[in-house]
Amino acid sequence: MKTKDCSPEEMNAHVAYFKDLIPNSLDFLDRENVPLGAFELMTAKKSLLVAASERKMEGQAARPAIDIPPGVSVFICETPVGNGPELHAHMRTRETFMCLSGRYEIRYGRDGEHVLELGPMDTVSVPNGVMRSFKNIADSTSYLLVLIHETGDEKALSDVYMKPELAKRIADEYGVEAVRGLERLGNNFTADEEEASLEHAK
């Protein structure tokens, strides 16, 4: 089978240099005016979208550095000491964590009652529907590779479920509009609940 050539100019469209990656928080702030503190409860201090399908990302906050076929989204999370998102679940997608540097505490279970630790190059793939969080427990800034695997044709970044109590906490600190902005960006505050979370946030 014949191979094809790729010029340096063409290859540049498929390269993401770490120093040039833009944190997702800038997209969140620009598009929905979500306060940075509220956003950081959802994800790492710096969540960098390395590669994903631009087509699948249409209308969402994140813009991938590299456009790849649908199926997986690739992130690098940069976390200061003690940083990480609140408990959340992905119902239709699977999330895999690989510690690149430092140490991470992975909590899982409905209330985060179970704990495991990842050191460099350790990996865990959390099944869909399981509540999970990660936190940097090293003594310096650490890096975590995060893969979001689609299990259907759903948009990978519109499958984040958190508990209603977090919506109330965000509304109390940042206002109900911050909760609405996060919901427009694909975050749901209905984990283990039947009703929408904004009633709890009022």
Side-chain angles (χ1 to χ4, degrees):
M1 180 177 283
K2 188 172 173 134
T3 62
K4 62 180 182 179
D5 197 9
C6 185
S7 71
E9 292 76 19
E10 291 170 320
M11 187 58 78
N12 282 339
H14 305 281
V15 178
Y17 292 105
F18 182 75
K19 66 181 178 56
D20 296 331
L21 294 174
I22 298 170
N24 287 358
S25 56
L26 299 182
D27 269 344
F28 277 77
L29 291 165
D30 288 346
R31 294 192 190 187
E32 293 294 344
N33 199 28
V34 173
L36 187 58
F39 169 78
E40 288 178 356
L41 294 170
M42 307 288 111
T43 187
K45 181 83 171 174
K46 279 190 184 177
S47 181
L48 308 163
L49 182 52
V50 178
S53 167
E54 286 184 355
R55 181 175 58 81
K56 296 290 255 181
M57 298 296 113
E58 282 177 13
Q60 299 185 58
R63 294 182 181 104
I66 303 172
D67 181 21
I68 60 174
V72 66
S73 299
V74 182
F75 294 82
I76 294 175
C77 291
E78 179 180 306
T79 56
V81 176
N83 180 250
E86 296 291 323
L87 278 171
H88 64 282
H90 299 273
M91 299 304 201
R92 300 178 306 276
T93 56
R94 188 170 183 124
E95 190 171 38
T96 298
F97 302 121
M98 175 187 280
C99 176
L100 298 178
S101 69
R103 286 198 75 72
Y104 284 89
E105 175 185 272
I106 308 295
R107 288 195 167 270
Y108 63 98
R110 280 201 168 89
D111 297 305
E113 62 271 24
H114 307 294
V115 181
L116 60 86
E117 288 187 17
L118 299 182
M121 304 309 143
D122 292 340
T123 304
V124 62
S125 188
V126 182
N128 352 357
V130 175
M131 295 292 282
R132 86 291 305 266
S133 67
F134 61 82
K135 182 170 76 170
N136 175 8
I137 57 171
D139 56 7
S140 61
T141 295
S142 298
Y143 294 88
L144 188 71
L145 179 68
V146 180
L147 306 176
I148 306 282
H149 312 267
E150 298 175 48
T151 55
D153 61 355
E154 299 85 3
K155 292 182 178 179
L157 299 185
S158 292
D159 186 35
V160 182
Y161 289 81
M162 297 183 164
K163 294 194 174 186
E165 296 82 25
L166 184 58
K168 181 174 184 343
R169 181 174 151 199
I170 292 169
D172 289 347
E173 191 166 345
Y174 300 101
V176 172
E177 192 50 44
V179 177
R180 289 196 177 108
L182 288 166
E183 288 181 327
R184 284 192 296 271
L185 292 167
N187 297 283
N188 302 281
F189 297 93
T190 58
D192 290 329
E193 293 289 324
E194 303 259 342
E195 300 300 323
S197 62
L198 275 178
E199 293 308 311
H200 298 271
K202 290 180 182 175

